[in-house]
């Protein structure tokens, strides 16, 4: 996810500094698979880095809202269940995803460790612990989202940017729409005072 984006940027910058440019396309080989990286330049300057998720979308099942909502100290009524129930999904790393009713509800979310332990026991992840990615639609078109990611069981109370989860969510939402392609913007870290903007293309 976002560490790969940052590392791709750093590799490209270091290559420039030391006279060993890596080019605009290269790959990292990791436990999740091959992560293709691309560098964009403008007037010879590096302006952005992007990555391709290592695996296609895998939806691993639905989750009980009564188990998921307490993880974020929310009620079931705070969850938006009309479009989809909470689900487990992955494009390399697995996350639990749930939509909430509004950006206001998202702002009220707080991780509850006891509820996370219960969710982890009910829905064990392969090689990892239960992580929850909550999102709300910031605009009516549904392509501009606000999100928060909680993973207290791996000592991440909240993450300001989660590329691996954002990629899986974008793929899942495009899947729900039956879209062959779709672009999304996900804002995360706002409530932490560490705002990030992730641009996703499916």
């Amino acid at each position: 996810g976002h560490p790969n984006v940052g590392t791709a940027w750093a590799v490209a910058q270091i290559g420039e500094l030391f006279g060993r440019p890596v080019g605009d396309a290269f790959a990292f080989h990791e436990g999740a698979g091959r992560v293709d990286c691309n560098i964009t330049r403008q007037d010879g300057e590096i302006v952005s880095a992007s990555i391709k998720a290592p695996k296609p979308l895998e939806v691993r099942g639905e989750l009980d809202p009564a188990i998921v909502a307490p993880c974020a100290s929310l009620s079931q009524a705070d969850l938006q269940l009309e479009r989809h129930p909470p689900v487990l999904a992955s494009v390399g790393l697995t996350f639990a995803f749930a939509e909430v009713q509004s950006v206001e509800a998202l702002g009220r979310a707080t991780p509850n460790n006891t509820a996370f332990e219960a969710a982890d026991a009910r829905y064990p992840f392969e090689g990892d612990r239960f992580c929850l990615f909550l999102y709300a639609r910031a605009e009516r078109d549904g392509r501009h989202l606000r999100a928060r990611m909680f993973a207290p069981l791996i000592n991440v109370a909240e993450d300001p940017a989660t590329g691996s989860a954002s990629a899986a969510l974008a793929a899942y939402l495009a899947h729900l729409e039956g879209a062959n392609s779709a672009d999304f913007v996900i804002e995360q870290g706002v409530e932490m005072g560490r705002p990030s903007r992730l641009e996703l293309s499916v």
Side-chain angles (χ1 to χ4, degrees):
H2 66 288
N4 281 306
V5 175
T7 303
W9 172 279
V11 165
Q13 291 281 11
I14 290 168
E16 296 289 327
L17 287 173
F18 290 93
R20 298 176 63 185
V22 296
D24 294 340
F26 50 90
F28 299 142
H29 297 269
E30 307 177 9
R34 177 185 167 119
V35 179
D36 288 307
C37 307
N38 284 283
I39 302 298
T40 301
R41 301 172 194 265
Q42 195 169 58
D43 298 325
E45 296 290 323
I46 298 168
V47 295
S48 69
S50 63
I51 63 168
K52 181 179 179 182
K55 295 181 180 178
L57 174 67
E58 181 181 359
V59 181
R60 298 186 170 178
E62 298 181 1
L63 308 177
D64 184 350
I67 297 291
V68 173
C71 290
S73 305
L74 298 175
S75 69
Q76 290 187 64
D78 288 315
L79 301 184
Q80 167 59 263
L81 302 174
E82 293 178 7
R83 283 178 277 266
H84 70 85
V87 295
L88 289 178
S90 171
V91 290
L93 291 176
T94 302
F95 291 85
F97 295 95
E99 182 177 356
V100 296
Q101 295 280 6
S102 64
V103 171
E104 182 275 330
L106 187 70
R108 287 190 280 107
T110 304
N112 179 312
N113 287 23
T114 302
F116 264 90
E117 291 284 3
D120 190 62
R122 175 81 175 270
Y123 304 108
F125 282 24
E126 295 178 9
D128 214 335
R129 308 295 301 276
F130 189 86
C131 303
L132 177 61
F133 196 76
L134 291 179
Y135 74 97
R137 293 170 191 263
E139 294 180 3
R140 291 182 182 178
D141 67 1
R143 298 298 176 89
H144 190 162
L145 312 173
R146 276 273 293 276
R148 300 179 73 183
M149 200 287 283
F150 303 117
L153 302 185
I154 58 171
N155 297 316
V156 179
E158 184 168 357
D159 191 18
T162 317
S164 47
S166 296
L169 178 61
Y172 179 64
L173 294 179
H175 164 73
L176 287 181
E177 294 177 9
N180 290 325
S181 63
D183 295 319
F184 296 89
V185 172
I186 297 179
E187 293 182 347
Q188 191 181 337
V190 175
E191 292 78 8
M192 301 174 67
R194 295 176 62 188
S196 65
R197 176 185 172 95
L198 297 96
E199 297 180 0
L200 294 305
S201 181
V202 182

